[in-house]
Amino acid sequence: MRALYIHWPFCISKCPYCDFNSHVSATVDHDRWRSALLTELHYYAQQTQGQKLQSIFFGGGTPSLMKPETVQALIDEAHKLWPTALDLEITLEANPGTVDMERFQAFQQAGINRLSMGIQSLYDDQLQFLGRKHSAAEAFEAIGIARDIFPRYSFDLIYARPNQTLNAWEKELTQALTLAGDHLSLYQLTIEPGTSFYTRHNRGDFQIPQDDLAADLYTLTEDIMAAAGRPSYEVSNYAQPGQESRHNLMYWRYRDYIGIGPGAHGRLTLDGIKTATKGTRGPELWLQAVEAKGHGASEKTVINSNQQMQERLMMGLRLTEGISLNEVEGGISSEKLPFLAEEGFINVGGSNLKLTPAGRLCLNTVLVELLK
């Protein structure tokens, strides 16, 4: 099985914490973009025949700014180009300020069966801090519409915000659970280079919680979600068993996925060789490349066996289920396993390696030790 990711790079505005390949544009030629995305779809289809599609994911940017007919054209073409799973998961990311009932219905009729919404907070003052263009009332309305229209829906929240206390987060998360479906994505605020927040944080305009409080917020999140029947299946993702994002599991389990659109990454097995692909990042440059040569790929790099093992480890350890040691044998410092297990950071059972709750709090440190 493989997955298909389609990137729509445009947003109404750039959020100050966002380091994704997203751009603000006053005008978008939707017909031209639809044609280019379909063209690149064909380019990758020529190289990836045989395996079924497990999932399609429209990410961004803000894919809910796409015209529903573009979404439908891409879904219909994907069905023609590849065999697809009977229970094909098709997800579209949406922001509350870019949709209404009619638009949601059009996406559902186009084939979207899972909606992922960028809510980020349930409070107006925090939405303003995060640079979001929607209000809390608009978020509640969008969640209600999604619940009525889509068989599966999820939304994101960002926590560990400046001055956030354990009690405040518990109250907000408890409220979120009254609105949630079977899945929630809960991310700690991180300050990424190249973002507006990076400049403002370095300038001292605000501070995020120190490590101890951040760890307590994470532990509280784990406890609340487990008690609500939606335990973590990945570091920042929580779901009732069986309702995990199948698309994202393809990434974390290191399966093949096709990346379509500007800046989109892919991991493909081509002629038995694991290969990394990447699209030209700039939207206009990508568009011109597709129109000139049939694709916007800027990089296609062979991933050697050692790199594959390291990538498998970095992705697989994010999962609660862990990873098979057989998949990373030779790519890690196996002599570190007894030490990390004794210190309570990992569990090794048979051929399975996974992080303990303590290990999940310091994932990056564990990875550094294992990859030395």
Side-chain angles (χ1 to χ4, degrees):
M1 305 290 277
R2 62 162 53 92
L4 170 63
Y5 174 81
I6 300 173
H7 189 76
W8 182 259
F10 302 112
C11 286
I12 290 177
S13 62
K14 183 76 171 180
C15 294
Y17 56 83
C18 177
D19 67 340
F20 294 162
N21 186 30
S22 59
H23 304 263
V24 177
S25 179
T27 59
V28 175
D29 186 336
H30 285 266
D31 291 341
R32 189 181 175 200
W33 273 87
R34 183 187 308 121
S35 176
L37 288 167
L38 288 167
T39 296
E40 188 161 74
L41 208 62
H42 277 263
Y43 169 75
Y44 280 106
Q46 293 170 3
Q47 305 171 58
T48 57
Q49 293 300 309
Q51 291 177 297
K52 286 184 178 180
L53 283 185
Q54 166 74 24
S55 62
I56 302 173
F57 194 103
F58 292 87
T62 307
S64 51
L65 292 173
M66 299 174 75
K67 288 188 175 182
E69 50 263 41
T70 298
V71 172
Q72 179 156 10
L74 288 162
I75 293 172
D76 290 347
E77 201 65 19
H79 277 291
K80 295 175 184 176
L81 294 172
W82 293 277
T84 56
L86 292 176
D87 59 347
L88 181 69
E89 177 188 88
I90 311 178
T91 302
L92 182 132
E93 292 182 333
N95 283 338
T98 62
V99 292
D100 53 27
M101 173 73 81
E102 184 177 342
R103 197 169 183 83
F104 269 3
Q105 288 175 332
F107 284 132
Q108 188 271 334
Q109 291 166 4
I112 300 300
N113 55 30
R114 182 176 181 272
L115 197 75
S116 178
M117 289 178 289
I119 301 298
Q120 313 314 0
S121 176
L122 302 181
Y123 304 138
D124 283 327
D125 62 330
Q126 295 302 301
L127 289 170
Q128 185 175 4
F129 166 73
L130 292 168
R132 306 297 287 170
K133 296 304 180 184
H134 65 269
S135 66
E138 288 173 321
F140 299 147
E141 181 182 8
I143 292 170
I145 295 172
R147 182 191 303 145
D148 291 340
I149 293 176
F150 295 95
R152 300 173 66 204
Y153 72 96
S154 177
F155 60 86
D156 304 350
L157 293 177
I158 293 175
Y159 68 101
R161 304 185 300 257
N163 302 315
Q164 188 174 40
T165 65
L166 291 169
N167 287 339
W169 175 231
E170 182 176 9
K171 179 182 177 181
E172 185 173 9
L173 183 52
T174 300
Q175 183 182 4
L177 282 166
T178 68
L179 305 167
D182 299 325
H183 189 286
L184 277 175
S185 296
L186 306 169
Y187 301 103
Q188 287 205 12
L189 177 62
T190 57
I191 308 301
E192 303 295 341
T195 65
S196 173
F197 267 4
Y198 186 81
T199 301
R200 290 164 57 186
H201 184 261
N202 285 350
R203 196 167 58 208
D205 293 354
F206 66 88
Q207 296 298 321
I208 57 176
Q210 297 295 314
D211 289 347
D212 286 349
L213 177 55
D216 290 342
L217 286 164
Y218 180 77
T219 300
L220 176 65
T221 304
E222 292 277 295
D223 292 344
I224 290 174
M225 295 305 294
R230 299 170 182 84
S232 61
Y233 66 97
E234 189 269 345
V235 170
S236 300
N237 285 273
Y238 302 80
Q240 289 184 2
Q243 295 302 316
E244 301 86 355
S245 167
R246 297 173 210 156
H247 182 86
N248 286 336
L249 282 173
M250 296 289 280
Y251 297 152
W252 296 319
R253 289 172 175 165
Y254 206 58
R255 305 295 190 257
D256 276 14
Y257 60 95
I258 303 161
I260 301 293
H265 291 257
R267 289 292 185 275
L268 301 173
T269 304
L270 304 176
D271 298 324
I273 300 172
K274 195 76 168 184
T275 304
T277 65
K278 181 181 178 182
T280 299
R281 186 175 176 85
E284 188 62 31
L285 292 174
W286 175 88
L287 197 58
Q288 293 170 2
V290 174
E291 292 173 340
K293 58 182 181 180
H295 66 87
S298 63
E299 296 178 22
K300 189 177 287 186
T301 309
V302 171
I303 310 173
N304 65 40
S305 58
N306 188 60
Q307 290 170 329
Q308 288 184 49
M309 291 178 211
Q310 291 183 356
E311 288 190 346
R312 285 180 187 274
L313 183 74
M314 288 188 287
M315 300 301 283
L317 279 187
R318 299 184 64 87
L319 290 169
T320 302
E321 69 188 23
I323 188 170
S324 168
L325 279 171
N326 295 331
E327 293 184 342
V328 295
E329 186 178 5
I332 63 173
S333 300
S334 55
E335 66 272 12
K336 293 292 182 66
L337 295 178
F339 166 74
L340 290 170
E342 186 177 333
E343 292 296 312
F345 295 126
I346 62 171
N347 280 326
V348 181
S351 63
N352 182 258
L353 167 65
K354 62 182 178 181
L355 295 176
T356 64
R360 289 162 76 87
L361 288 170
C362 49
L363 169 60
N364 289 338
T365 301
V366 174
L367 284 171
V368 168
E369 290 298 315
L370 287 173
L371 294 174
K372 280 183 177 178

